[in-house]
Amino acid sequence: MSASRRVTLKPGDTIGILGGGQLGRMLALAAARLGLKCQVFSPDPDSPAFDVVQNATCAEYADVEALELFAADVDVVTYEFENIPASTAMVLAARRPVLPDYRILETVQDRLLEKNFISGLGIATAPYADVTSPQTLREAIKVVGLPAVIKTRRFGYDGKGQAIIRDGDDPGQAWDDLGTRSAIAEAFVPFEREISVIAARGADGRVECFDVTENEHRDHILKYSRVPAAVSDTLAAQARDIAKKIADALDYVGVLAVEMFVVAGPGGPKLLVSEIAPRVHNSGHWTLDGASVSQFEQHIRAVAGWSLGKPVRHGSVVMTNLIGDDILDYSKWLTVPGASVHIYGKGAQRPGRKMGHVTEVKNGDVKT
Ligand code: AMP
């Protein structure tokens, strides 16, 4: 174990969070409940996480002086999104422990390296191929078949930087429209459902997974998460084992999410891993109201070097994302019996912007 991982914070200590979105905001709120302070670093002056912390640094990620001052103020650094520049993490890592280890970001920021890593663990993914030109895209389509999904290797999220190529489409045109030089082509997966596992791994290597969540997307953006997922106990156990294997292989400290497709197979449904998110994840928001310990608290405990909680779910849960104009309905949601309303305090709603979420927990069907 490297020196950087031997962190044990005490109440009153400060966690530095890179990124100031709603994930950072909910991490800071969870830390406050445990008596820990957070300092948020974000280039965006309107960061929703700034509202809930006393100390914030509003500076660019390349601002080395600001990073040095930030590092001096905090005891450990973590992040709430994966596109932190490697150079930023390196400046901080030279001064403070950064958890999870920032070297993981190189793998998960790049869809090709990520897929190679997952396959290297013997875990199934959709067939995929490296694409660097219209010619290699044509070759890739011969391997993965049609329809195919092309995705930029870096900086894609919520369906951005992706396109579907169907029979009859011109791959050359699709390549030009994607506007990149490095992409992957993936077989289009005719999935039965999409699920995710939110796993927490402590500095001691202990892993705690939340119950498997079923996710429904609209226009590539998560709309609903339902727990428990409508999968057999065997498949749920396999999904948790996959998440644990990935967390162990990365020697991970903190919370990560593994998104998977459930596909029909001759011997019953099987799992294909679609993506790893090295952070708390939208499909784990239900844990704030639906479990004894939330994903945010688990992450804070892990990076603080504290024991993880053993999550117990309170019932069957539905999480509804309030996206864009959905937020205008917040006052209706306030009157729904049993609904817990979360509003992220972002400025203007825009189509596709995650503005808040609502959790509804129904008692009964309590699995531990
Ligand atoms: P991603 O940005 O890779 O997480 O993709 C966002 C969403 O697009 C996924 O949650 C799926 O709903 C859909 N999607 C991505 N890749 C595929 C695929 N290979 N086959 C079918 N649907 C996909």
Side-chain angles (χ1 to χ4, degrees):
M1 188 187 286
S2 71
S4 69
R5 295 164 59 94
R6 270 183 250 118
V7 186
T8 309
L9 303 192
K10 45 188 191 330
D13 286 346
T14 302
I15 298 173
I17 301 175
L18 294 173
Q22 67 269 20
L23 301 179
R25 178 180 171 106
M26 290 185 272
L27 282 168
L29 292 170
R33 211 175 77 155
L34 295 174
L36 292 160
K37 298 185 201 309
C38 287
Q39 177 154 344
V40 171
F41 189 112
S42 166
D44 178 2
D46 292 327
S47 293
F50 284 170
D51 293 349
V52 303
V53 293
Q54 203 173 5
N55 294 313
T57 307
C58 188
E60 296 300 323
Y61 289 119
D63 184 339
V64 174
E65 200 182 327
L67 289 170
E68 285 173 349
L69 290 170
F70 173 74
D73 282 344
V74 305
D75 298 291
V76 63
V77 176
T78 189
Y79 37 88
E80 59 105 71
F81 79 124
E82 56 270 49
N83 288 323
I84 300 289
S87 53
T88 302
M90 278 167 71
V91 170
L92 294 170
R95 291 163 178 81
R96 287 287 180 265
V98 176
L99 294 171
D101 191 321
Y102 70 92
R103 282 164 292 203
I104 293 165
L105 297 177
E106 278 170 38
T107 309
V108 294
Q109 280 176 354
D110 181 322
R111 290 189 192 269
L112 181 64
L113 301 184
E114 180 183 52
K115 285 268 189 315
N116 289 345
F117 164 73
I118 296 165
S119 322
L121 294 176
I123 296 169
T125 67
Y128 65 97
D130 185 13
V131 178
T132 53
S133 63
Q135 184 51 31
T136 50
L137 176 56
R138 288 192 178 87
E139 296 299 319
I141 288 170
K142 286 185 200 151
V143 177
V144 306
L146 287 175
V149 187
I150 46 171
K151 302 180 177 182
T152 56
R153 277 176 62 173
R154 296 170 68 86
F155 304 122
Y157 68 99
D158 285 349
K160 293 189 175 60
Q162 344 193 330
I164 297 183
I165 307 178
R166 298 178 200 280
D167 212 7
D169 289 348
D170 172 11
Q173 186 62 52
W175 179 253
D176 288 346
D177 291 347
L178 200 64
T180 182
R181 285 179 184 194
S182 53
I184 59 165
E186 238 177 70
F188 181 85
V189 178
F191 54 81
E192 283 181 351
R193 56 191 85 247
E194 293 188 85
I195 62 169
S196 58
V197 176
I198 308 290
R201 189 169 182 276
D204 58 358
R206 190 178 137 204
V207 175
E208 287 291 347
C209 294
F210 289 94
D211 285 332
V212 178
T213 304
E214 183 159 340
N215 302 313
E216 190 180 325
H217 295 81
R218 298 274 166 86
D219 300 326
H220 294 275
I221 302 173
L222 183 67
K223 181 64 188 164
Y224 301 107
S225 287
R226 298 185 178 86
V227 203
V231 295
S232 68
D233 287 349
T234 313
L235 205 71
Q238 278 173 19
R240 286 195 299 269
D241 284 350
I242 286 172
K244 181 175 185 312
K245 195 170 188 180
I246 290 171
D248 285 341
L250 293 169
D251 199 13
Y252 198 85
V253 178
V255 164
L256 63 72
V258 182
E259 295 180 86
M260 306 176 202
F261 298 122
V262 179
V263 287
K270 61 177 186 135
L271 298 170
L272 301 178
V273 167
S274 111
E275 202 165 29
I276 303 169
R279 53 171 169 77
V280 287
H281 192 256
N282 195 169
S283 67
H285 288 4
W286 65 268
T287 60
L288 278 171
D289 305 295
S292 55
V293 56
S294 74
Q295 63 164 349
F296 302 100
E297 180 172 336
Q298 289 289 61
H299 186 79
I300 293 294
R301 289 186 187 214
V303 302
W306 292 7
S307 297
L308 296 179
K310 174 127 193 72
V312 175
R313 187 159 51 79
H314 297 322
S316 55
V317 191
V318 180
M319 189 282 311
T320 304
N321 261 347
L322 303 180
I323 300 166
D325 282 349
D326 294 347
I327 196 68
L328 302 175
D329 287 338
Y330 76 89
S331 52
K332 275 191 224 155
W333 279 107
L334 293 175
T335 64
V336 173
S340 302
V341 180
H342 300 254
I343 300 172
Y344 303 149
K346 294 182 175 178
Q349 71 266 18
R350 288 193 296 271
R353 193 172 196 203
K354 291 173 179 170
M355 303 298 293
H357 73 268
V358 179
T359 320
E360 293 166 280
V361 184
K362 298 214 168 53
N363 289 326
D365 175 38
V366 177
K367 275 191 186 173
T368 54

Coordinates of all heavy atoms in Angstrom, one line a residue, residues 285-329:
H285 N -28.5 7.7 -7.0 CA -29.1 8.7 -6.2 C -30.2 8.2 -5.3 O -30.4 8.8 -4.2 CB -29.7 9.8 -7.1 CG -28.6 10.7 -7.8 ND1 -27.3 10.5 -7.6 CD2 -28.7 11.8 -8.6 CE1 -26.6 11.4 -8.3 NE2 -27.5 12.2 -8.9
W286 N -30.8 7.1 -5.6 CA -31.9 6.5 -4.8 C -31.4 6.2 -3.4 O -32.1 6.1 -2.5 CB -32.4 5.3 -5.5 CG -31.5 4.1 -5.6 CD1 -30.7 3.8 -6.7 CD2 -31.2 3.1 -4.6 NE1 -29.9 2.7 -6.4 CE2 -30.3 2.2 -5.2 CE3 -31.7 2.8 -3.4 CZ2 -29.8 1.1 -4.5 CZ3 -31.2 1.7 -2.7 CH2 -30.3 0.9 -3.3
T287 N -30.0 6.0 -3.3 CA -29.5 5.5 -2.0 C -29.6 6.6 -0.9 O -29.6 6.3 0.3 CB -28.0 5.1 -2.1 OG1 -27.2 6.2 -2.6 CG2 -27.9 3.9 -3.1
L288 N -29.8 7.9 -1.3 CA -29.9 9.0 -0.3 C -31.1 8.7 0.5 O -31.1 9.0 1.7 CB -30.0 10.3 -1.0 CG -28.7 11.0 -1.5 CD1 -29.0 12.2 -2.4 CD2 -27.9 11.4 -0.3
D289 N -32.2 8.3 -0.1 CA -33.5 8.2 0.7 C -33.9 6.7 0.8 O -34.7 6.4 1.7 CB -34.6 8.9 0.0 CG -34.3 10.4 -0.3 OD1 -34.1 11.1 0.7 OD2 -34.1 10.7 -1.4
G290 N -33.3 5.8 0.0 CA -33.7 4.4 0.0 C -32.8 3.5 0.7 O -33.1 2.2 0.7
A291 N -31.8 3.9 1.3 CA -30.9 3.0 2.0 C -30.3 3.6 3.3 O -30.3 4.8 3.4 CB -29.7 2.6 1.0
S292 N -29.8 2.7 4.1 CA -29.3 3.2 5.4 C -28.0 4.0 5.3 O -27.7 4.8 6.2 CB -29.0 2.0 6.3 OG -28.1 1.1 5.6
V293 N -27.3 3.9 4.2 CA -26.1 4.7 4.0 C -26.1 5.0 2.5 O -26.5 4.1 1.7 CB -24.8 4.0 4.4 CG1 -24.6 2.6 3.8 CG2 -23.6 4.8 4.1
S294 N -25.8 6.2 2.1 CA -25.9 6.6 0.7 C -24.6 6.3 -0.1 O -23.6 6.2 0.6 CB -26.3 8.0 0.5 OG -25.2 8.9 0.8
Q295 N -24.7 6.4 -1.4 CA -23.4 6.3 -2.2 C -22.5 7.4 -1.8 O -21.3 7.2 -1.8 CB -23.7 6.2 -3.7 CG -24.4 7.5 -4.2 CD -24.3 7.6 -5.8 OE1 -23.6 6.8 -6.4 NE2 -25.0 8.5 -6.3
F296 N -23.0 8.6 -1.5 CA -22.2 9.7 -1.3 C -21.5 9.5 0.1 O -20.3 9.8 0.2 CB -23.1 11.0 -1.2 CG -23.8 11.2 -2.5 CD1 -25.1 10.9 -2.6 CD2 -23.2 11.7 -3.6 CE1 -25.8 11.0 -3.8 CE2 -23.8 11.9 -4.8 CZ -25.2 11.6 -5.0
E297 N -22.2 9.0 1.0 CA -21.6 8.8 2.3 C -20.5 7.7 2.2 O -19.4 7.8 2.8 CB -22.6 8.4 3.4 CG -22.0 8.1 4.7 CD -23.0 7.9 5.9 OE1 -24.1 8.4 5.8 OE2 -22.6 7.3 6.9
Q298 N -20.8 6.6 1.4 CA -19.8 5.6 1.3 C -18.5 6.1 0.6 O -17.4 5.8 1.1 CB -20.3 4.5 0.3 CG -21.4 3.6 0.9 CD -21.0 2.6 2.0 OE1 -20.5 3.1 3.0 NE2 -21.2 1.4 1.8
H299 N -18.7 7.0 -0.3 CA -17.5 7.6 -1.0 C -16.7 8.4 0.0 O -15.5 8.3 0.1 CB -17.9 8.4 -2.2 CG -16.7 8.9 -3.0 ND1 -16.0 8.1 -3.9 CD2 -16.0 10.1 -3.0 CE1 -15.0 8.8 -4.4 NE2 -15.0 10.0 -3.9
I300 N -17.4 9.2 0.8 CA -16.7 10.1 1.8 C -16.0 9.2 2.8 O -14.9 9.4 3.2 CB -17.7 11.0 2.5 CG1 -18.3 12.0 1.5 CG2 -17.1 11.7 3.7 CD1 -17.3 13.0 0.9
R301 N -16.7 8.2 3.3 CA -16.1 7.2 4.3 C -14.8 6.6 3.7 O -13.8 6.5 4.3 CB -17.0 6.1 4.6 CG -18.2 6.5 5.5 CD -19.0 5.3 5.9 NE -20.2 5.5 6.6 CZ -20.7 4.7 7.5 NH1 -20.0 3.6 7.9 NH2 -21.8 5.0 8.1
A302 N -14.9 6.2 2.4 CA -13.7 5.5 1.8 C -12.6 6.5 1.7 O -11.4 6.1 2.1 CB -14.1 5.0 0.4
V303 N -12.8 7.7 1.2 CA -11.6 8.6 1.0 C -11.1 9.1 2.3 O -10.0 9.6 2.4 CB -11.9 9.7 0.0 CG1 -12.3 9.2 -1.4 CG2 -12.9 10.7 0.5
A304 N -12.0 9.1 3.3 CA -11.5 9.5 4.7 C -10.8 8.4 5.4 O -10.2 8.6 6.5 CB -12.8 9.9 5.5
G305 N -10.8 7.2 4.8 CA -10.1 6.1 5.5 C -11.0 5.5 6.6 O -10.4 4.8 7.5
W306 N -12.3 5.7 6.5 CA -13.2 5.2 7.5 C -13.8 3.9 7.0 O -13.8 3.6 5.9 CB -14.3 6.2 7.8 CG -13.8 7.5 8.5 CD1 -12.5 7.9 8.7 CD2 -14.6 8.6 9.0 NE1 -12.5 9.1 9.3 CE2 -13.8 9.5 9.5 CE3 -16.0 8.8 9.0 CZ2 -14.2 10.7 10.1 CZ3 -16.5 10.0 9.5 CH2 -15.6 10.9 10.1
S307 N -14.4 3.2 8.0 CA -15.1 1.9 7.6 C -16.3 2.3 6.7 O -17.0 3.2 6.9 CB -15.7 1.3 8.9 OG -14.6 0.9 9.7
L308 N -16.5 1.4 5.7 CA -17.7 1.5 4.9 C -18.9 1.1 5.7 O -18.8 0.3 6.6 CB -17.6 0.6 3.7 CG -16.5 0.9 2.7 CD1 -16.5 -0.1 1.6 CD2 -16.6 2.4 2.2
G309 N -20.1 1.7 5.4 CA -21.3 1.1 5.9 C -21.8 -0.1 5.2 O -21.3 -0.4 4.1
K310 N -22.6 -0.9 5.9 CA -23.2 -2.0 5.2 C -24.6 -1.6 4.8 O -25.5 -1.5 5.7 CB -23.2 -3.2 6.2 CG -23.9 -4.4 5.7 CD -23.1 -5.7 5.7 CE -23.6 -6.8 4.9 NZ -23.5 -6.7 3.5
P311 N -24.8 -1.3 3.5 CA -26.1 -0.7 3.2 C -27.3 -1.6 3.3 O -27.2 -2.8 2.9 CB -25.9 -0.3 1.7 CG -24.6 -0.7 1.3 CD -23.9 -1.4 2.4
V312 N -28.4 -1.1 3.9 CA -29.6 -1.9 4.0 C -30.7 -1.0 3.3 O -30.8 0.2 3.6 CB -30.0 -2.1 5.5 CG1 -31.4 -2.8 5.6 CG2 -29.0 -2.9 6.2
R313 N -31.3 -1.7 2.3 CA -32.3 -0.9 1.5 C -33.6 -0.9 2.3 O -34.0 -1.8 2.9 CB -32.5 -1.6 0.2 CG -33.4 -0.9 -0.8 CD -33.1 -1.3 -2.2 NE -33.1 -2.7 -2.4 CZ -34.3 -3.4 -2.5 NH1 -35.4 -2.8 -2.4 NH2 -34.2 -4.7 -2.7
H314 N -34.3 0.3 2.2 CA -35.6 0.5 3.0 C -36.8 0.0 2.3 O -37.9 0.0 2.9 CB -35.8 2.0 3.2 CG -34.7 2.6 4.0 ND1 -34.1 2.0 5.1 CD2 -34.1 3.9 3.9 CE1 -33.1 2.8 5.6 NE2 -33.1 3.9 4.9
G315 N -36.7 -0.4 1.0 CA -37.9 -0.9 0.3 C -37.7 -0.9 -1.2 O -36.5 -0.8 -1.6
S316 N -38.7 -0.9 -1.9 CA -38.5 -0.8 -3.4 C -38.5 0.7 -3.7 O -39.3 1.4 -3.1 CB -39.5 -1.6 -4.2 OG -40.8 -1.2 -3.8
V317 N -37.6 1.1 -4.6 CA -37.4 2.5 -4.8 C -37.5 2.9 -6.3 O -37.0 2.1 -7.2 CB -35.9 2.9 -4.3 CG1 -35.8 4.4 -4.3 CG2 -35.6 2.2 -3.0
V318 N -38.1 4.0 -6.6 CA -38.0 4.6 -7.9 C -37.4 6.0 -7.8 O -37.8 6.8 -7.0 CB -39.5 4.7 -8.5 CG1 -39.4 5.4 -9.9 CG2 -40.2 3.4 -8.6
M319 N -36.4 6.2 -8.6 CA -35.8 7.6 -8.7 C -36.1 8.2 -10.0 O -36.0 7.5 -11.0 CB -34.3 7.4 -8.5 CG -33.5 8.7 -8.4 SD -33.2 9.7 -9.8 CE -32.5 8.6 -11.0
T320 N -36.7 9.4 -10.0 CA -37.1 10.0 -11.3 C -36.2 11.3 -11.4 O -36.2 12.1 -10.5 CB -38.5 10.5 -11.2 OG1 -39.4 9.3 -11.0 CG2 -39.0 11.2 -12.5
N321 N -35.5 11.4 -12.5 CA -34.7 12.6 -12.7 C -35.5 13.7 -13.2 O -36.4 13.5 -14.0 CB -33.6 12.3 -13.8 CG -32.3 12.0 -13.3 OD1 -32.0 12.2 -12.1 ND2 -31.4 11.4 -14.1
L322 N -35.3 14.9 -12.7 CA -36.0 16.1 -13.2 C -35.0 16.8 -14.2 O -34.0 17.4 -13.8 CB -36.3 17.0 -12.0 CG -37.2 16.4 -10.9 CD1 -37.5 17.3 -9.8 CD2 -38.5 15.8 -11.5
I323 N -35.3 16.6 -15.4 CA -34.4 17.1 -16.5 C -35.0 18.3 -17.2 O -36.2 18.2 -17.6 CB -34.2 15.9 -17.5 CG1 -33.6 14.7 -16.8 CG2 -33.3 16.3 -18.7 CD1 -33.6 13.4 -17.5
G324 N -34.3 19.3 -17.4 CA -34.8 20.5 -18.2 C -36.0 21.0 -17.5 O -36.1 21.3 -16.3
D325 N -37.1 21.2 -18.3 CA -38.3 21.8 -17.8 C -39.0 20.9 -16.8 O -40.0 21.4 -16.1 CB -39.3 22.0 -19.0 CG -38.9 23.2 -19.8 OD1 -38.1 24.0 -19.3 OD2 -39.5 23.4 -20.9
D326 N -38.6 19.6 -16.6 CA -39.3 18.8 -15.5 C -39.2 19.6 -14.2 O -40.1 19.4 -13.3 CB -38.5 17.5 -15.3 CG -38.6 16.6 -16.5 OD1 -39.5 16.8 -17.4 OD2 -37.9 15.6 -16.5
I327 N -38.2 20.4 -14.0 CA -38.0 21.0 -12.7 C -39.1 22.0 -12.4 O -39.4 22.3 -11.2 CB -36.6 21.7 -12.6 CG1 -36.2 22.1 -11.2 CG2 -36.6 23.0 -13.5 CD1 -35.9 20.9 -10.3
L328 N -39.8 22.4 -13.4 CA -40.9 23.4 -13.2 C -42.0 22.7 -12.4 O -42.9 23.4 -11.8 CB -41.5 23.9 -14.5 CG -40.4 24.6 -15.4 CD1 -41.0 25.0 -16.8 CD2 -39.9 25.9 -14.7
D329 N -42.0 21.4 -12.4 CA -43.1 20.6 -11.6 C -42.7 20.4 -10.2 O -43.3 19.6 -9.5 CB -43.3 19.2 -12.3 CG -44.0 19.3 -13.6 OD1 -44.7 20.3 -13.8 OD2 -43.9 18.4 -14.4

